Amino acid sequence: MIPGTLARRLAAGLLDALILTPPSLAVLFLTGERWALTPMAVLLIAALDLVYRAGFEASGWRATPGKRLLGLAVTTLDGGGLGLARAILRTLPFWGGTLIALLSPATGRPEFTALAWLAAPACLLWLPFAGWRRALHDVWAGAVVGPAAGPPP
């Protein structure tokens, strides 16, 4: 059985994606040719996402707005705040793959693109093996996602 924390995590991810959609579309409009996903647009959207996720998770909220709305928090294993370095480390697998995919055409190795786009989903495959509260990106950042203890400090 999949616990409620995972369902709330997935719903929070969807809420965060909805929040990030308007600024991402603005980036596409301002940098692309007829809404094309240019390398510059991808880099700017990746940076926007990194600042959003890592910034909020390193803050007193310990959660993105989506996680906060659903009563979740990202903490260290002992319940402390992540800090910016760990929050960035936790977020990088989701955009590291995108950056590798951008470089793949330049190297002439299309298989890198396929592997890069699988990085984020692969992190989530770890959940059943780690008690459903620690995806692979949580493990290497020393983080855990669970119910928020209360209002932020």
Side-chain angles (χ1 to χ4, degrees):
M1 184 167 97
I2 299 173
T5 299
L6 178 61
R8 287 191 298 174
R9 264 182 99 153
L10 295 174
L14 182 60
L15 285 172
D16 289 325
L18 290 172
I19 291 167
L20 285 167
T21 296
S24 296
L25 290 174
V27 167
L28 278 178
F29 177 75
L30 295 171
T31 62
E33 296 176 17
R34 295 187 182 185
W35 299 91
L37 194 58
T38 64
M40 179 57 76
V42 171
L43 288 173
L44 289 173
I45 291 169
L48 172 71
D49 188 80
L50 179 68
V51 167
Y52 174 86
R53 293 180 194 285
F56 276 116
E57 290 175 357
S59 75
W61 276 17
R62 298 181 181 175
T64 59
K67 285 184 184 81
R68 185 168 167 85
L69 284 170
L70 291 168
L72 296 172
V74 183
T75 64
T76 60
L77 297 176
D78 61 2
L82 283 187
L84 189 57
R86 278 188 180 187
I88 290 171
L89 180 63
R90 185 178 177 277
T91 304
L92 279 179
F94 291 94
W95 286 107
T98 301
L99 298 177
I100 292 169
L102 277 176
L103 297 175
S104 296
T107 64
R109 306 289 301 208
E111 61 272 13
F112 287 141
T113 302
L115 291 173
W117 290 112
L118 293 174
C123 286
L124 300 176
L125 292 175
W126 190 263
L127 284 165
F129 305 104
W132 295 102
R133 292 181 54 207
R134 297 187 73 209
L136 188 56
H137 61 290
D138 297 317
V139 171
W140 60 49
V144 64
V145 177

